[in-house]
């Protein structure tokens, strides 16, 4: 009778002949083996010519041992794999369980398994796009290829976590709030926006001003020319606050949601919608002669509020942003890794903020059941993985996202007096 040993949740049987189960190279990070699907509207290139057969029967046409594949990002050779009746991924030669493989292009599958349809759409679009980088804070007008204005609606966005609280704070009349439209900093930004507009029209501005018509119904032009205030919505807000996150469990966690998986951190923006422009023209007399003066007052009665984000994977700090542990069946959140990412974003890379330090194993696969089942092994994903994938595949198109706009009539209109402009009058 063959004795059995219980170890790491698995039953290991001693074999009377052969070597039994031996350690084999396994995936330690998300793979990048699969090639992306064709770009939308672009014919795929012809397949490469077949490699000549090797004279060595133990070597395939790619120079690798038969029965192995290369695990791109991990740089290892992987044994031939199969799935047994228990759902385990096994090494066919050794008949031993191994860590199930997971590729970057499997991420949308995991998102759909969680019901995250918008997150899956965004990931698919990014993978299928031409390589394109949009830098943080870019004011460039993006082509339609790298623009999405139809997918995200404000009603849907506002239904998550504490997001509506941030939306309301943007238009709060409390002038002490740092991110509302009424404080002094916001009024100064609005003044600069209006001054550029007035200067562009040589102090002869249309009134009343409808910015949507003036922008030719182009949200990017509206944003570039008339946006003056914003408020940040963090992933903590999207997930319902620190208390909700801290109460989540690593196993079977329901903390992550579709908005967090798609936009994560984004901004609500305020832009001028309707305004009345009044310009006074008058002469001023003095010892130096006559001067011709104009002075413009603008009263903003309505604003547009909308969400904007760039679907990209830029890192602002040395620690790459943590995006969760994923597999083909869903996602779990390592609270420690997520907390570390937040601290890094807020305080920089000073190591003393990690008390205690974040365990290094949290940047490795997690087996939630100690059985190496495909449904129970999750791989950490960070921004840097997407950047590495883009470098390897020469694909991955960042794109700008705008929600629909909501026009809001201000309970307290904002009046801005622009500076007086005078010049010497010559007949």
């Amino acid at each position: 009778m063959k004795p059995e040993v219980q170890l790491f949740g698995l039953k290991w049987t001693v074999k009377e002949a052969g070597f039994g189960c031996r350690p084999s190279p396994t995936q330690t990070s998300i793979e990048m083996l699969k090639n992306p699907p064709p770009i939308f509207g672009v014919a795929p290139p012809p397949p490469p010519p077949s490699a000549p057969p090797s004279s060595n029967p133990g070597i395939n046409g790619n120079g690798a041992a038969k029965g192995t594949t290369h695990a791109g990002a991990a740089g290892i050779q992987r044994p031939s794999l199969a799935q047994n009746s228990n759902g385990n991924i096994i090494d066919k030669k050794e008949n031993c369980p191994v860590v199930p493989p997971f590729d970057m292009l499997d991420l949308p599958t995991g998102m759909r398994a969680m019901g995250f349809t918008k997150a899956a759409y965004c990931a698919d679009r990014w993978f299928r796009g031409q390589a394109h980088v949009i830098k943080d804070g870019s004011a460039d007008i993006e082509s339609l290829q790298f623009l999405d204005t139809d997918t995200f609606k404000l009603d849907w966005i506002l239904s998550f976590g504490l997001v509506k609280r941030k939306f309301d704070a943007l238009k709060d009349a409390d002038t002490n709030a740092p991110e509302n439209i009424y404080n002094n900093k916001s009024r100064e930004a609005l003044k600069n926006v209006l001054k550029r507009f007035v200067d562009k029209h040589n102090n002869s501005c249309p009134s009343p001003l409808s910015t949507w018509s003036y922008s030719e119904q182009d949200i990017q032009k509206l944003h570039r020319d008339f946006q003056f205030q914003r408020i940040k919505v963090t992933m903590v807000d999207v997930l319902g606050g620190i208390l909700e996150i801290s109460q989540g469990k690593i196993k079977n966690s329901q903390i992550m949601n579709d908005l967090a998986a798609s936009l994560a951190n984004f901004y609500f923006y305020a832009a001028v919608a309707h305004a009345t422009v009044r310009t006074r023209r008058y002469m001023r007399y003095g010892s130096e002669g006559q001067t011709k003066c104009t002075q413009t007052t603008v009263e903003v009665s309505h604003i547009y509020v909308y969400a904007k984000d760039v679907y990209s994977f830029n890192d602002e700090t040395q620690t790459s942003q943590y995006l969760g542990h994923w597999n083909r069946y869903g996602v779990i959140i390592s609270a420690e890794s997520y907390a570390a990412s937040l601290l890094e974003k807020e305080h920089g890379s000073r190591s003393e903020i990690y008390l205690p330090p974040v365990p290094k194993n949290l940047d490795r696969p997690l087996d939630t059941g100690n059985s190496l089942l495909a449904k129970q092994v999750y791989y950490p994903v960070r921004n840097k993985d997407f950047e590495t994938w883009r470098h390897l595949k020469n694909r991955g198109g960042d794109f700008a996202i705008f929600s629909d706009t909501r026009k809001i009539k201000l309970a307290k209109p904002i009046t801005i007096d622009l500076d007086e402009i005078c010049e010497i009058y010559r007949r």
Side-chain angles (χ1 to χ4, degrees):
M1 182 175 180
K2 300 176 182 179
E4 292 184 341
V5 178
Q6 185 80 19
L7 186 63
F8 301 120
L10 302 174
K11 289 185 178 181
W12 300 86
T13 301
V14 177
K15 298 175 70 174
E16 295 178 352
F19 294 102
C21 288
R22 294 171 292 173
S24 61
T26 55
Q27 177 183 354
T28 58
S29 61
I30 193 166
E31 287 184 345
M32 301 182 188
L33 289 173
K34 294 183 178 180
N35 287 321
I39 299 174
F40 286 111
V42 178
S50 301
S54 171
S55 59
N56 186 341
I59 302 295
N60 63 24
N62 296 320
K66 286 186 176 180
T68 65
T69 59
H70 291 284
I76 62 172
Q77 286 190 326
R78 195 173 65 203
S80 297
L81 305 178
Q83 190 170 19
N84 65 14
S85 58
N86 295 324
N88 291 77
I89 305 298
I90 61 169
D91 177 346
K92 290 193 291 186
K93 181 179 179 181
E94 300 287 349
N95 195 29
C96 298
V98 298
V99 179
F102 183 61
D103 193 276
M104 287 287 289
L105 290 178
D106 295 327
L107 279 168
T109 301
M111 293 170 180
R112 291 188 182 91
M114 295 290 290
F116 299 165
T117 56
K118 288 181 171 54
Y121 158 80
C122 289
D124 273 334
R125 177 167 179 163
W126 191 88
F127 285 128
R128 298 187 63 146
Q130 295 178 350
H132 180 66
V133 177
I134 301 178
K135 295 182 179 179
D136 294 338
S138 171
D140 294 341
I141 299 293
E142 298 292 338
S143 67
L144 294 179
Q145 182 182 4
F146 304 113
L147 176 67
D148 182 277
T149 59
D150 301 320
T151 304
F152 292 88
K153 304 300 181 183
L154 278 176
D155 285 343
W156 183 80
I157 293 172
L158 294 174
S159 67
F160 289 88
L162 305 178
V163 175
K164 190 175 186 303
R165 183 182 299 180
K166 287 297 186 79
F167 180 88
D168 292 337
L170 179 64
K171 54 189 178 61
D172 191 345
D174 178 7
T175 56
N176 294 320
E179 294 178 302
N180 68 32
I181 60 174
Y182 291 100
N183 65 41
N184 291 335
K185 186 176 180 180
S186 178
R187 291 176 65 89
E188 190 63 29
L190 176 58
K191 183 177 180 179
N192 291 334
V193 165
L194 296 173
K195 183 179 185 304
R196 287 196 303 269
F197 176 75
V198 170
D199 289 348
K200 185 176 181 179
H201 289 268
N202 197 26
N203 297 317
S204 180
C205 303
S207 183
L209 170 63
S210 174
T211 60
W212 187 240
S213 297
Y214 179 83
S215 303
E216 301 175 323
Q217 293 78 46
D218 188 327
I219 185 63
Q220 291 192 96
K221 292 180 180 178
L222 176 81
H223 180 75
R224 179 193 61 191
D225 295 337
F226 294 104
Q227 179 269 324
F228 66 96
Q229 181 59 303
R230 67 181 187 176
I231 188 168
K232 186 171 186 177
V233 183
T234 69
M235 198 167 179
V236 173
D237 302 314
V238 172
L239 297 177
I242 292 293
L243 183 60
E244 286 292 319
I245 295 172
S246 65
Q247 290 177 345
K249 298 178 180 179
I250 293 292
K251 187 175 181 180
N252 299 323
S253 172
Q254 297 299 315
I255 293 176
M256 183 68 79
N257 57 46
D258 201 359
L259 183 59
S262 52
L263 299 189
N265 305 292
F266 62 96
Y267 285 91
F268 285 126
Y269 288 87
V272 178
H274 289 286
T276 302
V277 183
R278 299 183 180 89
T279 300
R280 296 188 301 117
R281 294 177 173 83
Y282 49 91
M283 300 294 293
R284 179 167 289 168
Y285 302 91
S287 58
E288 297 180 357
Q290 302 179 42
T291 55
K292 182 173 60 175
C293 301
T294 61
Q295 204 276 326
T296 298
T297 298
V298 183
E299 182 181 273
V300 178
S301 59
H302 297 73
I303 62 170
Y304 288 120
V305 179
Y306 51 93
K308 176 185 179 293
D309 192 26
V310 174
Y311 193 83
S312 64
F313 299 94
N314 303 321
D315 280 316
E316 301 173 359
T317 60
Q318 292 180 3
T319 298
S320 186
Q321 182 177 346
Y322 171 68
L323 305 174
H325 276 68
W326 289 85
N327 63 20
R328 292 184 184 87
Y329 303 91
V331 62
I332 60 174
I333 298 296
S334 163
E336 292 91 339
S337 288
Y338 180 67
S341 292
L342 285 180
L343 290 171
E344 177 79 6
K345 189 176 287 289
E346 294 294 329
H347 302 288
S349 59
R350 293 179 292 110
S351 60
E352 61 266 24
I353 65 174
Y354 303 126
L355 297 173
V358 176
K360 292 183 179 180
N361 65 296
L362 291 180
D363 253 346
R364 299 172 184 170
L366 293 177
D367 183 359
T368 61
N370 290 328
S371 302
L372 296 184
L373 290 174
K375 289 186 176 182
Q376 296 177 341
V377 178
Y378 295 81
Y379 292 89
V381 181
R382 292 184 180 271
N383 277 352
K384 63 183 180 182
D385 297 312
F386 285 84
E387 291 296 327
T388 300
W389 188 91
R390 174 157 50 196
H391 177 74
L392 290 173
K393 307 295 183 180
N394 193 30
R395 294 279 289 278
D398 295 353
F399 58 96
I401 296 172
F402 287 87
S403 74
D404 55 330
T405 60
R406 181 168 297 180
K407 186 166 66 175
I408 297 173
K409 182 178 181 180
L410 300 180
K412 185 170 66 174
I414 303 174
T415 301
I416 300 293
D417 293 320
L418 300 181
D419 296 334
E420 181 185 56
I421 301 174
C422 294
E423 58 182 8
I424 297 176
Y425 178 69
R426 293 183 176 86
R427 296 183 180 180

